[in-house]
Amino acid sequence: MFSLTPEAAESRLPVARRTLERLRQVPELAPRYRDSQDIRTLDDIAALPPLLKDDLNAALAHLRPRAENGATWLFQSGGSTGAPKLGHAPTGFYMAGVHAHWQPLDRDDVFVNAWGAGRMWGAHFLAAALADLSGCQVIALGSVTKDEYAEWLAFFAAREVTAIGGTPSVLGLWFARARAAGLELPDLRKVLWLGEAWQPQLEEDMAAVAPEARRWGMFGSTETWVVGTNTPHCPADTFHTLPHQLVHVGEDRLLDFTALDPEMLNPVLRYRTGDAGRLVECPCGRPGRALRVLGRRDSVVQVRGLGLHVDEVIARAERETGVSRAQVVISETGGRAGSVEVLLLTAPGATVDAERLRKELLTETFTLSTAFQHDPENFRVRPVADLIGNDRTGKTSGLVVLEER
Ligand SMILES: [Zn+2]
């Protein structure tokens, strides 16, 4: 099933046809497209082999795309859960197409751009392009260190900041720290987010710090750029896809993406990010098919030859009273898991019985009890003050794999 009707997609199919021609020029990929039909209908797209991250990297290395107008920006994706890969974008980051359908900011807004800037991460610049189109006041903040929060929060209140944007992990830090310090942001109305799923703890802290604030989400990736957006009237996991982004729901609800924007530099044609989803009617009442994102399908990792469902372990730990977020950390030596740790970020003042949770996880999870049968001490559960974050992107992944020497 596709996010667009055949009628809505028809006039944009030449873009997909050109992408197929480009991919056929890539020596590593040419053989797999040899028997593919030319793209005349959506069904022809569904019949193509899916493109994975490594394929896209091979294609970009060969094609070296260039923007028609303005500069070609190079960004890096991955790094949280996989090896870094490159992605390209022209000046403007396709945000004019997003702004035409989604305007969370307006001229009267004072917007704090709290996505990390630099280090080849795209979100800060993409948000800056949106702010430019909105004509608002921009405070280009980027990431800050721990001891800077209080001072910046006071500055936001004094400047009557009305909007802030970042990854949910970074926003979570801002609101948790403001709440713990008893600070309020009475003028804040809009919280823009992109890069991770929305977090329930963030919702709670936001309500305490800025009761008038509402969330405005974007969904996408460094390869596809923004695929869909939502408003405070939509569920946090449901996004309205843009007309130049074709989303296909395939087997096992795996999503693949096809860019239908003629300016698109990355050859995105049935590109799979590992995300799963469904096409639904959004409760906000906006007509057309919306995309409900169900999380990633690649959350199963190998621990000593057995598959561990990381999302299930995290969900179990996060059901525990006092735990606001959990993270699984696997320490490997030469590709073998030496230990598995579940880190628990606890709510201020809460105490968690980590040892009881550890025993329960061990008994309930076949992979853990079997893998650590002879050395159960190498499976640990530990409350922490901070989870392990990615300094570059400000994301906090549910799974971290540490390579030990
Ligand atoms: Zn909606």
Side-chain angles (χ1 to χ4, degrees):
M1 196 172 180
F2 283 98
S3 59
L4 292 174
T5 61
E7 299 74 42
E10 199 185 355
S11 66
R12 296 175 191 267
L13 287 182
V15 177
R17 216 172 293 150
R18 273 200 299 280
T19 308
L20 179 58
E21 280 162 31
R22 287 167 74 199
L23 288 169
R24 279 179 168 148
Q25 294 163 23
V26 180
E28 294 98 315
L29 303 178
R32 75 165 83 172
Y33 292 112
R34 195 170 294 139
D35 302 325
S36 298
Q37 293 215 35
D38 256 356
I39 297 167
R40 295 182 197 290
T41 64
L42 287 178
D43 288 340
D44 295 333
I45 293 182
L48 290 170
L51 200 66
L52 305 178
K53 247 183 193 189
D54 287 326
D55 305 328
L56 198 60
N57 231 37
L60 287 168
H62 182 83
L63 298 170
R64 294 187 164 234
R66 284 172 69 94
E68 296 271 323
N69 301 299
T72 303
W73 292 62
L74 270 69
F75 289 104
Q76 215 184 76
S77 73
S80 303
T81 52
K85 304 275 157 37
L86 281 186
H88 297 56
T91 301
F93 316 101
Y94 315 105
M95 291 310 279
V98 177
H99 184 253
H101 298 273
W102 187 70
Q103 293 105 21
L105 300 171
D106 54 55
R107 290 201 74 82
D108 298 329
D109 277 311
V110 182
F111 169 59
V112 174
N113 187 346
W115 276 283
R119 299 171 86 178
M120 295 178 78
W121 160 239
H124 183 93
F125 303 97
L126 166 165
L130 179 76
D132 268 352
L133 292 160
S134 316
C136 63
Q137 268 191 54
V138 186
I139 297 171
L141 190 71
S143 38
V144 303
T145 57
K146 264 184 191 176
D147 44 350
E148 288 180 282
Y149 281 92
E151 246 173 87
W152 281 113
L153 283 162
F155 177 74
F156 297 168
R159 293 301 315 175
E160 299 175 352
V161 161
T162 62
I164 187 170
T167 60
S169 289
V170 165
L171 294 167
L173 289 174
W174 279 106
F175 287 107
R177 278 167 208 261
R179 191 181 183 185
L183 291 166
E184 285 187 12
L185 296 171
D187 299 296
L188 195 74
R189 299 282 184 281
K190 300 156 182 182
V191 175
L192 279 62
W193 57 283
L194 164 75
E196 296 169 308
W198 185 252
Q199 296 162 10
Q201 182 65 43
L202 166 56
E203 183 94 34
E204 224 183 285
D205 291 339
M206 188 175 96
V209 173
E212 302 294 320
R214 301 289 176 266
R215 54 167 170 72
W216 296 77
M218 288 176 271
F219 172 77
S221 67
T222 305
E223 297 80 25
T224 60
W225 293 82
V226 178
V227 170
T229 59
N230 67 23
T231 74
H233 304 294
C234 313
D237 61 358
T238 303
F239 301 86
H240 297 272
T241 59
L242 295 155
H244 58 268
Q245 295 278 11
L246 180 67
V247 183
H248 173 241
V249 181
E251 222 172 281
D252 198 22
R253 293 187 167 161
L254 263 181
L255 302 176
D256 60 74
F257 302 87
T258 297
L260 298 180
D261 181 343
E263 306 287 312
M264 186 67 172
L265 296 184
N266 295 335
V268 170
L269 182 64
R270 279 214 76 198
Y271 177 64
R272 266 191 196 160
T273 54
D275 286 303
R278 289 171 56 197
L279 293 169
V280 297
E281 220 171 279
C282 185
C284 76
R286 203 173 121 182
R289 296 166 190 167
L291 175 64
R292 182 162 170 231
V293 179
L294 300 171
R296 300 183 69 85
R297 277 284 182 269
D298 54 2
S299 77
V300 182
V301 288
Q302 291 292 309
V303 172
R304 298 182 176 179
L306 299 163
L308 178 68
H309 289 259
V310 173
D311 286 353
E312 287 175 16
V313 173
I314 290 173
R316 170 68 188 85
E318 288 182 352
R319 277 201 300 274
E320 203 71 16
T321 317
V323 174
S324 50
R325 275 192 84 186
Q327 184 177 51
V328 173
V329 180
I330 301 178
S331 300
E332 287 190 340
T333 318
R336 186 177 189 272
S339 69
V340 171
E341 269 195 311
V342 180
L343 305 184
L344 310 173
L345 188 68
T346 50
T351 46
V352 179
D353 189 347
E355 187 48 34
R356 183 185 45 78
L357 179 61
R358 179 186 165 278
K359 281 193 184 129
E360 285 180 16
L361 278 169
L362 210 48
T363 349
E364 290 166 11
T365 318
F366 171 78
T367 296
L368 293 173
S369 57
T370 312
F372 293 99
Q373 193 176 1
H374 302 295
D375 57 340
E377 70 279 7
N378 284 324
F379 171 67
R380 295 182 287 270
V381 175
R382 190 157 63 89
V384 290
D386 296 298
L387 297 180
I388 300 172
N390 180 324
D391 290 339
R392 193 174 74 82
T393 61
K395 293 192 205 181
T396 304
S397 171
L399 171 69
V400 173
V401 180
L402 302 174
E403 182 65 31
E404 289 185 341
R405 287 150 207 271

